[in-house]
Amino acid sequence: MNSKLYLLACFCFTIAFTSCEQKAVEPQTFNMKLWYKEPAKASVTDDPNGWNDDAEWLKGLPMGNGAFGAVVFGDVHKERIQLNEESMWSGSENDNNNPDAFPALGKIRELLYEGKYKEATELTNATQICKGVGSGYGSGANVPFGCFQTLGDLWIDFENKQPYENYHRELDLEDAVSRIQYTQDGVNYTREVFVSHPDQLMVIKLTADQAGKLSFNSSMSRPEHAQIHVENDQLIMEGTMTDGKEGEGLNYMVRLSAVNKNGDLSYTDDKLVVKNADEVTLLLTASTDYVLDYPKYKGRPYKDLTQTHLQNGKQTSYEDLLKRHVTDYQQYYKRVDLSLTSNLRDTIPTDVRLQNFKTSTTDLHLVELLFQYGRYLLISSSRPGTLPANLQGIWANKVQTPWNGDYHTDVNVQMNYWPAETTNLGEMHLPLFDLTKTLQTPGSETAKVHYNSDGWVVHPITNVWGYTSPGEGASWGMHVTGGAWLTSHIMEHYYFTLDKAFLKDTYPILKTSTQFYMDWLVEDKLTSALVSGPSVSPENTFIAPDGSKCQISMGPSHDQQVIWQLFKNFIDASNALEIDDEFVQQVTVAQERLAKPKIGADGRLMEWNEAFEEVEPGHRHISHLFGLHPGYQIDVEETPELAAAAKKSLDFRIANGGGHTGWSAAWLINQYARLGEAENALHGLEMVLQKSTNPNLFTSHPPFQIDANFGTTAGIAEMLLQSQSGSIRLLPALPKSWANGSYKGLCARGGFVVDITWEAGIPVDVKVFSKEGGECTLEFKGQKITFDTEKGKAYFPIKEQNPFGAISGE
Ligand code: FUC
């Protein structure tokens, strides 16, 4: 036993099976840092094509406070800090609903019942897709859909262009500070950068260990729509983006100012100039006039806000700014520890670790790092009151971001939030619900125009302008369960927190989403089961009996499972709020009548209602296993046949090249974890690290897409703790190579927080903290123990007699 495990075990055995408020011993972990011996090169210009990654930017270190983001290059002679503000969106509110849709709906369903898939797919393309150009095929910077864009760059051009040595840069995940140090001409220079949530600004402190050695010019730039001027000791960059209709869109402003120790500080027309200072602190604030409020979306006092935050920052000492930042950040970050290794020092730079991992996957510290990095990124890109994290979180370095950096609702934005509850960051989940709320009104307009239905609907994409229409191609755009999938997150938050006030507040969203699908579902002519359609199984194509390649059908398994989950959630929410009206009863009946997952002749879970062959057997979407993960419909214990079929489907996908995009591999981790398939889950994780991770640990589709960061963190948590089935499954998918370890602070449904230490694959110490009271069932390899809990108390249920001790770790 290594010393930290021994300490923990001793501590726990003295407590026995008691409830108490005592804290478990903090496990020692080694510093959670991304660190490098080389800078990212600021002199390399970005590729003008937004779809191409920029290798140097992907070496930069991302920072953020939920709304403001920065990527720090750490270059010595000329520093580049690329800037983001989450609402830097071009475009504007726009009506994309298609009045031709509803009149053709019945005909498409008839064609599908007649087995005329080709004709049905063609008619869907002709009538059901959005009006206008929609998202502009993912390149919508200049159309109304718009695009999430860079805010520009901050440059710090140092006078000293001499060679340097002793270079080191890092991002410390434990305090969310980036540090750079190097030596030039015998002078030791340092930079410290952080983005403060409490003070709403970015702070950059530059020092030299000899007097008067800091001389530089600082400037700002943006590829378009930017004016620079100086006003009252501030360098200001401002502009107006396009609304996509040849008019003016959102306005933005960035303010930069500095505080110097000795030397001279001055402002020219477009620069801040420092000469011979000992130390300088740069402060930067930014905002737009965006407001998340359909249909106006404007009105934030962005000029005043940036001014106030900058002035307040200038009047506060660097030490106080740093202290407030660290305190604020750590209240979230410190809730969870994960230890898979017993080493205490990290001597290998992160990019080297990543490179080594391609040939040897034994580096468990890299796994710990990637896990905590996902939590860091969520805290940095999604805070209460901000917009949700988009396809790139809040980090994008160009004007045209791939897929507009939007919210894809057929897995991607949901994946961003998979780790929120399990890794103890429930507050960071709230922005997703705020966005969902604002989609109700435009979504009900779309439901009316397209389907003459009540309730509201969202298709596979949305943006900050309330876009809810289908996409511009039926093959992917006719995904009708985006709204239902979004609302499942509301219930996840409730299942984890049991927060009734929250549930009461959000119940209308669940109810109106349920209303839509109650209207939308139709009876299958043959079986009279309720089916969804015409629709797609996200982005996948099948071969119809006549040999044609089609996407549109009735009752794709994905829709059926998402709607099943929505109805379950709605029924659970109604029960929790003691609502039992006629509508709840109708939904209960309808849930029973839904067409259920089916197993094909080859033993796989069927993706469509009929046994079609898929065009791409290794397709990246694994949507027909929604019921396995993130849904609850398929479970190893409750529905073992379906679980076995799900496993066959997964194995088949992989055997045919599946998991080739980052997020797809990340989903595999979660799905295999739910099946208790530890080694396969680990394989998914290794795929993410080997094929889909950049030097700064941003994951990749390619191009860069952040969902796999979040999906991987969630997947690791899912391997270590699950609670979707009613009991708390301890170490449900623990790979052999993770034989010894510990974690603290992972969350389970029912309001429980779990700390655990395991040896040779067996739990040797478990602490369960009960936030809300109630019965708790722990499960390990099928063996269960149940005990009652009281709100606010901790339990150590396996002390003197470990009921799991007799179980083999194999
Ligand atoms: C989904 C995926 C694509 C990509 C895009 C942003 O629709 O099918 O692979 O990730 O979102």
Side-chain angles (χ1 to χ4, degrees):
M1 192 188 304
N2 70 36
S3 59
K4 66 184 166 176
L5 293 183
Y6 176 74
L7 264 178
L8 255 174
C10 293
F11 172 78
C12 296
F13 274 99
T14 55
I15 293 178
F17 187 160
T18 50
S19 73
C20 71
E21 321 263 340
Q22 237 162 323
K23 280 195 177 163
V25 169
E26 294 263 327
Q28 271 183 311
T29 51
F30 50 120
N31 289 341
M32 288 292 158
K33 287 181 181 178
L34 277 63
W35 67 278
Y36 307 82
K37 288 182 169 175
E38 306 283 341
K41 291 193 189 74
S43 54
V44 177
T45 46
D46 293 340
D47 188 321
N49 182 341
W51 291 87
N52 293 341
D53 273 333
D54 296 292
E56 294 304 317
W57 186 74
L58 288 167
K59 294 177 187 165
L61 295 171
M63 324 213 59
N65 63 6
F68 180 85
V71 174
V72 183
F73 280 60
D75 209 346
V76 172
H77 297 146
K78 187 173 181 180
E79 172 68 287
R80 175 185 178 191
I81 300 183
Q82 188 269 316
L83 311 173
N84 284 110
E85 202 282 342
E86 61 166 4
S87 60
M88 282 295 287
W89 265 83
S90 61
S92 50
E93 198 274 320
N94 194 44
D95 176 10
N96 290 88
N97 294 327
N98 185 349
D100 294 341
F102 181 64
L105 186 63
K107 177 73 185 163
I108 297 169
R109 286 177 174 156
E110 266 172 41
L111 288 169
L112 290 170
Y113 283 128
E114 289 164 13
K116 296 180 176 162
Y117 295 99
K118 183 166 175 275
E119 292 80 353
T121 299
E122 280 167 6
L123 190 57
T124 305
N125 257 312
T127 59
Q128 303 297 301
I129 59 168
C130 64
K131 186 177 77 184
V133 295
S135 71
Y137 289 94
S139 295
N142 293 312
V143 305
F145 188 92
C147 180
F148 172 63
Q149 313 188 333
T150 181
L151 176 65
D153 291 287
L154 171 70
W155 302 94
I156 310 172
D157 193 359
F158 293 89
E159 198 175 277
N160 189 340
K161 303 288 185 201
Q162 294 304 307
Y164 57 88
E165 55 188 353
N166 303 330
Y167 182 88
H168 173 95
R169 72 184 165 110
E170 67 181 37
L171 170 63
D172 191 340
L173 302 185
E174 293 185 47
D175 59 11
V177 177
S178 175
R179 295 181 181 85
I180 297 141
Q181 61 196 55
Y182 54 91
T183 309
Q184 247 178 333
D185 292 336
V187 181
N188 296 315
Y189 290 91
T190 70
R191 299 176 199 162
E192 246 178 15
V193 187
F194 60 91
V195 178
S196 165
H197 180 75
D199 287 290
Q200 290 293 311
L201 39 67
M202 177 165 73
V203 183
I204 305 156
K205 184 181 167 191
L206 307 159
T207 70
D209 69 353
Q210 289 176 29
K213 290 292 183 188
L214 271 171
S215 297
F216 62 85
N217 294 333
S218 187
S219 60
M220 291 188 282
S221 63
R222 187 173 192 274
E224 61 176 37
H225 305 307
Q227 290 90 44
I228 316 270
H229 71 278
V230 165
E231 193 183 292
N232 301 332
D233 286 350
Q234 290 177 13
L235 189 62
I236 294 174
M237 178 164 74
E238 62 183 321
T240 304
M241 286 175 284
T242 172
D243 66 355
K245 300 169 184 163
E246 294 181 1
E248 295 195 340
L250 290 178
N251 298 298
Y252 72 90
M253 180 169 275
V254 192
R255 296 177 188 265
L256 174 72
S257 198
V259 179
N260 58 316
K261 207 182 255 179
N262 297 326
D264 295 320
L265 169 65
S266 60
Y267 295 82
T268 66
D269 286 350
D270 57 359
K271 279 185 189 60
L272 177 161
V273 181
V274 172
K275 290 264 177 237
N276 307 325
D278 301 347
E279 184 184 301
V280 180
T281 302
L282 295 171
L283 302 167
L284 185 142
T285 60
S287 181
T288 74
D289 56 354
Y290 179 78
V291 180
L292 178 60
D293 186 15
Y294 176 86
K296 200 165 153 243
Y297 291 115
K298 259 195 171 187
R300 194 194 308 171
Y302 67 112
K303 290 188 180 176
D304 291 349
L305 282 173
T306 46
Q307 171 71 1
T308 307
H309 294 143
L310 192 66
Q311 285 315 322
N312 289 347
K314 280 185 91 168
Q315 281 156 21
T316 312
S317 71
Y318 176 80
E319 287 68 30
D320 283 351
L321 289 172
L322 178 64
K323 204 166 140 199
R324 288 211 283 256
H325 159 69
V326 173
T327 307
D328 166 75
Y329 170 78
Q330 288 187 339
Q331 69 180 305
Y332 304 112
Y333 179 81
K334 289 270 181 192
R335 290 175 185 170
V336 173
D337 259 333
L338 169 64
S339 177
L340 300 174
T341 57
S342 49
N343 300 337
L344 292 174
R345 287 194 58 227
D346 175 6
T347 52
I348 308 170
T350 308
D351 47 349
V352 178
R353 280 184 184 276
L354 189 66
Q355 195 55 36
N356 292 347
F357 203 88
K358 293 192 196 306
T359 47
S360 164
T361 58
T362 54
D363 184 355
L364 296 184
H365 180 56
L366 192 59
V367 174
E368 295 170 339
L369 210 51
L370 194 68
F371 171 78
Q372 291 290 23
Y373 190 51
R375 297 185 65 248
Y376 164 84
L377 291 173
L378 194 62
I379 303 168
S380 305
S381 63
S382 187
R383 291 288 194 108
T386 70
L387 287 166
N390 64 40
L391 282 170
Q392 298 199 174
I394 48 169
W395 298 279
N397 59 328
K398 288 183 270 198
V399 168
Q400 181 59 63
T401 305
W403 289 285
N404 302 315
D406 69 12
Y407 301 107
H408 267 57
T409 54
D410 63 354
V411 68
N412 315 86
V413 71
Q414 290 92 344
M415 187 177 284
N416 285 1
Y417 287 92
W418 288 349
E421 302 296 336
T422 49
T423 76
N424 219 329
L425 297 173
E427 298 92 330
M428 312 309 156
H429 213 166
L430 302 179
L432 187 65
F433 314 143
D434 292 343
L435 181 80
T436 305
K437 276 187 198 165
T438 65
L439 296 175
Q440 267 193 97
T441 306
S444 59
E445 193 55 30
T446 302
K448 263 282 162 288
V449 174
H450 276 252
Y451 312 119
N452 195 27
S453 291
D454 283 343
W456 59 277
V457 62
V458 175
H459 293 85
I461 49 170
T462 190
N463 57 6
V464 300
W465 310 115
Y467 186 95
T468 52
S469 310
E472 56 270 25
S475 65
W476 58 275
M478 200 55 198
H479 173 244
V480 291
T481 44
W485 194 342
L486 282 175
T487 59
S488 73
H489 280 252
I490 288 171
M491 252 341 245
E492 286 293 286
H493 188 68
Y494 175 73
Y495 289 134
F496 277 88
T497 58
L498 304 183
D499 181 346
K500 287 249 168 78
F502 166 80
L503 190 61
K504 215 167 158 198
D505 180 48
T506 47
Y507 185 77
I509 311 176
L510 274 171
K511 182 167 178 180
T512 47
S513 179
T514 306
Q515 271 164 349
F516 171 75
Y517 296 98
M518 288 292 281
D519 274 6
W520 162 254
L521 290 166
V522 289
E523 275 192 10
D524 181 293
K525 286 235 169 92
L526 280 178
T527 63
S528 53
L530 294 178
V531 288
S532 165
S535 65
V536 295
S537 184
E539 314 201 20
N540 209 351
T541 302
F542 60 86
I543 302 175
D546 66 358
S548 56
K549 293 177 181 166
C550 300
Q551 294 91 20
I552 301 298
S553 74
M554 294 301 289
S557 199
H558 172 76
D559 279 9
Q560 299 300 122
Q561 293 170 35
V562 176
I563 296 169
W564 184 91
Q565 188 73 34
L566 170 69
F567 287 1
K568 173 195 159 47
N569 291 343
F570 175 67
I571 296 163
D572 283 357
S574 304
N575 285 339
L577 298 175
E578 295 174 24
I579 298 168
D580 186 18
D581 56 21
E582 215 184 313
F583 185 63
V584 177
Q585 285 157 22
Q586 286 166 1
V587 175
T588 310
V589 173
Q591 196 203 23
E592 274 299 307
R593 290 191 55 204
L594 282 170
K596 302 285 171 345
K598 291 198 287 193
I599 302 174
D602 58 2
R604 283 190 290 147
L605 207 77
M606 284 166 60
E607 180 152 2
W608 294 277
N609 202 17
E610 290 184 60
F612 297 133
E613 202 183 310
E614 53 271 75
V615 170
E616 198 189 320
H619 198 266
R620 61 195 183 285
H621 284 266
I622 327 161
S623 316
H624 56 313
L625 305 191
F626 172 92
L628 174 67
H629 179 278
Y632 300 8
Q633 197 176 0
I634 301 171
D635 181 71
V636 275
E637 282 176 27
E638 309 287 324
T639 60
E641 290 88 10
L642 291 179
K647 173 169 160 38
K648 278 213 166 120
S649 298
L650 274 179
D651 292 348
F652 180 83
R653 273 284 208 272
I654 294 195
N656 287 282
H660 49 282
T661 68
W663 64 259
S664 181
W667 200 354
L668 294 175
I669 309 171
N670 290 273
Q671 291 182 323
Y672 273 123
R674 285 265 170 108
L675 288 169
E677 292 277 330
E679 302 308 321
N680 283 325
L682 181 65
H683 180 63
L685 172 56
E686 289 169 356
M687 278 165 74
V688 172
L689 274 166
Q690 288 184 326
K691 294 194 200 151
S692 305
T693 305
N694 290 292
N696 64 359
L697 301 191
F698 265 165
T699 54
S700 171
H701 187 287
F704 159 52
Q705 206 169 287
I706 206 162
D707 38 19
N709 280 105
F710 296 126
T712 300
T713 292
I716 294 169
E718 208 68 34
M719 291 164 78
L720 299 170
L721 187 75
Q722 287 174 28
S723 58
Q724 71 283 351
S725 65
S727 61
I728 298 178
R729 291 184 181 149
L730 303 174
L731 311 176
L734 191 74
K736 286 201 178 74
S737 53
W738 299 5
N740 300 312
S742 66
Y743 62 75
K744 83 171 175 79
L746 293 187
C747 293
R749 291 165 186 83
F752 298 109
V753 185
V754 180
D755 301 1
I756 174 168
T757 300
W758 67 92
E759 286 172 16
I762 311 279
V764 294
D765 178 36
V766 178
K767 173 186 166 192
V768 178
F769 180 76
S770 174
K771 289 202 273 194
E772 294 300 324
E775 194 178 84
C776 176
T777 299
L778 296 183
E779 180 179 353
F780 178 67
K781 293 190 187 284
Q783 182 156 339
K784 296 183 184 176
I785 49 172
T786 299
F787 50 96
D788 280 324
T789 70
E790 278 176 47
K791 186 180 167 119
K793 290 200 168 173
Y795 296 82
F796 297 81
I798 65 163
K799 283 291 122 21
E800 282 160 350
Q801 286 201 334
N802 184 350
F804 305 137
I807 301 172
S808 159
E810 287 300 298

